[in-house]
């Protein structure tokens, strides 16, 4: 077994941002400043950190960040009104509603209220449907990041068996669709899946999107598998047991510094794409 390649998310993220810089300049010369509106509802510290990171990443690149922070007791109707206003605001090109929102809010209804042309985080069912059918313009950012990492490192999906662990609307399901559209044979696993280690053993490409620290063990893997770990658990721990998986894999994303930074870059890219579409 040769050396395991580390799929460095920081390198991929920088490459995406470099490509965006001249596009942002060109937009500004025409009088358009790309703008991402972020909505944070409540005081969840992790959500607050994620929103801040996204806003700061925008500003570092010259994308305007319009940060909206709503009270913990915001109602669905109040949130819908804010989204409606952002939909109408021609200076705003992308809208990100940070998940999760407080319990009293109907999150799905709020996501669905985001105009399709501003759904840069790929959360609407319309956007998901387009992605699944193969013509989505803004797939969810973490699935887009996984495909971007594979493209950057020349990892072909075609003809490979990709196993995705997780089927959430923002991660497992859309990444399964993107891999299928890239001509992989896809198996999507979830909490009812039986004999998970046996299925993982068939994977040429493994995507971990389960939300359980170090859940996937190296001994489950086929020798030479490519491992993409989307997991981000408290303490900066991924969904795969890194050391044991590193030994078996031909390539692996670290946590932190793997899928996470590329996810943010994809959000920036989608915002610039949206600004260019006008
Ligand atoms: P989620 O909504 O909690 O979904 C987890 C999925 O894992 C569900 O589909 C669940 O199955 C499945 N699952 C749970 N236990 C399982 C088991 N024992 N065997 C097989 N499947 C099992 O989580 P998520 O939002 O997709 O996030 C997944 C991970 O990615 C988390 O660590 C999260 O922090 C991370 N994440 C990272 C980024 C990033 O930018 N890097 C972005 C988003 C999320 P059921 O459907 O049957 O319940």
């Amino acid at each position: 077994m040769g050396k395991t390649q580390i799929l460095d998310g920081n390198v991929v993220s920088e490459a995406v941002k470099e490509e965006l810089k001249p596009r942002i300049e060109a937009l500004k010369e025409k009088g358009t400043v790309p703008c991402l509106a972020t909505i944070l509802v409540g005081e969840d510290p992790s959500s607050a950190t994620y929103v801040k990171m996204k806003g700061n990443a925008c500003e570092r690149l010259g994308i305007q960040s319009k940060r909206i922070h709503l009270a913990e007791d915001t109602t669905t109707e109040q949130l819908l009104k804010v989204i409606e206003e952002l939909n109408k605001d021609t200076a705003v090109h992308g809208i990100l509603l940070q998940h999760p929102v407080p319990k009293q809010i109907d999150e799905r209804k709020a996501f669905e209220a985001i105009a399709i042309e501003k759904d840069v985080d790929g959360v609407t069912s319309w956007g998901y449907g387009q992605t699944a059918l193969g013509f989505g313009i803004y797939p969810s950012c973490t699935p887009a990041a996984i495909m971007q990492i594979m493209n950057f490192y020349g990892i072909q999906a075609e003809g490979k068996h990709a196993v995705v662990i997780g089927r959430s609307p923002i991660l497992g399901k859309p990444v399964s669709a993107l891999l299928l559209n890239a001509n992989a044979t896809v198996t999507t696993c979830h909490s009812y899946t039986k004999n998970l280690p046996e299925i993982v053993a068939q994977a040429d490409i493994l995507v971990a999107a389960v939300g359980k620290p170090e859940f996937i063990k190296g001994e489950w893997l086929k020798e030479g598998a490519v491992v993409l770990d989307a997991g981000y658990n408290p303490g900066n721990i991924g969904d795969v047991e890194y050391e044991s998986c590193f030994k078996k894999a031909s390539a692996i994303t670290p946590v932190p510094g793997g899928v996470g930074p590329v996810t943010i870059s994809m959000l920036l890219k989608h915002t610039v794409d949206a600004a260019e579409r006008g």
Side-chain angles (χ1 to χ4, degrees):
M1 183 67 213
K3 211 165 161 279
T4 306
Q5 182 175 31
I6 293 176
L7 306 173
D8 187 334
N10 289 316
V11 170
V12 182
S13 166
E14 283 311 312
V16 172
K17 285 191 264 190
E18 277 307 311
E19 191 259 334
L20 292 179
K21 281 178 188 168
R23 293 171 57 190
I24 294 168
E25 281 316 306
L27 278 164
K28 285 185 177 167
E29 275 164 27
K30 285 190 215 144
T32 301
V33 181
C35 174
L36 175 71
T38 58
I39 310 171
L40 170 66
V41 189
E43 305 301 332
D44 178 67
S46 310
S47 295
T49 305
Y50 292 144
V51 165
K52 198 169 156 199
M53 278 166 66
K54 291 165 186 170
N56 291 348
C58 280
E59 281 163 8
R60 276 196 296 271
L61 208 64
I63 296 172
Q64 197 190 335
S65 158
K66 186 179 170 87
R67 304 178 195 213
I68 295 160
H69 188 177
L70 303 175
E72 183 76 37
D73 62 357
T74 299
T75 63
T76 303
E77 286 63 36
Q78 286 166 333
L79 176 57
L80 291 176
K81 205 158 174 278
V82 169
I83 294 170
E84 262 323 301
E85 278 161 20
L86 293 172
N87 283 342
K88 282 190 228 133
D89 186 343
T90 52
V92 170
H93 304 101
I95 302 172
L96 174 127
L97 171 60
Q98 183 62 42
H99 159 88
V101 293
K103 283 190 297 294
Q104 76 279 6
I105 293 176
D106 183 340
E107 184 178 79
R108 183 46 36 208
K109 199 168 179 187
F111 280 153
E112 297 302 348
I114 296 172
I116 182 72
E117 66 276 11
K118 297 191 181 187
D119 181 21
V120 289
D121 201 27
V123 295
T124 62
S125 55
W126 192 356
Y128 169 77
Q130 291 182 340
T131 295
L133 290 174
F135 57 88
I137 46 174
Y138 309 125
S140 303
C141 292
T142 307
I146 288 168
M147 301 309 287
Q148 185 74 24
I149 292 169
M150 287 177 54
N151 285 340
F152 184 88
Y153 284 101
I155 297 164
Q156 302 292 326
E158 191 167 303
K160 303 276 173 62
H161 187 179
V163 173
V164 177
I165 311 183
R167 57 169 171 180
S168 69
I170 51 130
L171 221 176
K173 275 184 188 150
V175 80
S176 296
L178 291 175
L179 287 161
L180 182 63
N181 293 340
N183 297 327
T185 301
V186 182
T187 303
T188 308
C189 304
H190 45 78
S191 65
Y192 293 84
T193 298
K194 296 203 170 73
N195 306 326
L196 187 65
E198 284 166 34
I199 297 171
V200 171
Q202 298 168 25
D204 303 307
I205 296 166
L206 180 80
V207 177
V210 66
K212 295 198 163 151
E214 300 186 333
F215 179 73
I216 293 136
K217 312 295 177 198
E219 62 258 34
W220 298 2
L221 292 181
K222 173 154 93 178
E223 196 79 42
V226 172
V227 177
L228 297 137
D229 186 358
Y232 195 65
N233 303 291
N236 283 345
I237 297 170
D239 285 350
V240 312
E241 196 178 71
Y242 187 76
E243 268 186 37
S244 63
C245 288
F246 181 89
K247 285 183 193 145
K248 280 287 221 30
S250 59
I252 187 166
T253 53
V255 177
V259 174
V262 189
T263 297
I264 293 185
S265 292
M266 296 321 289
L267 179 66
L268 304 177
K269 178 182 177 296
H270 291 171
T271 303
V272 174
D273 290 344
E276 285 175 347
R277 286 195 173 92

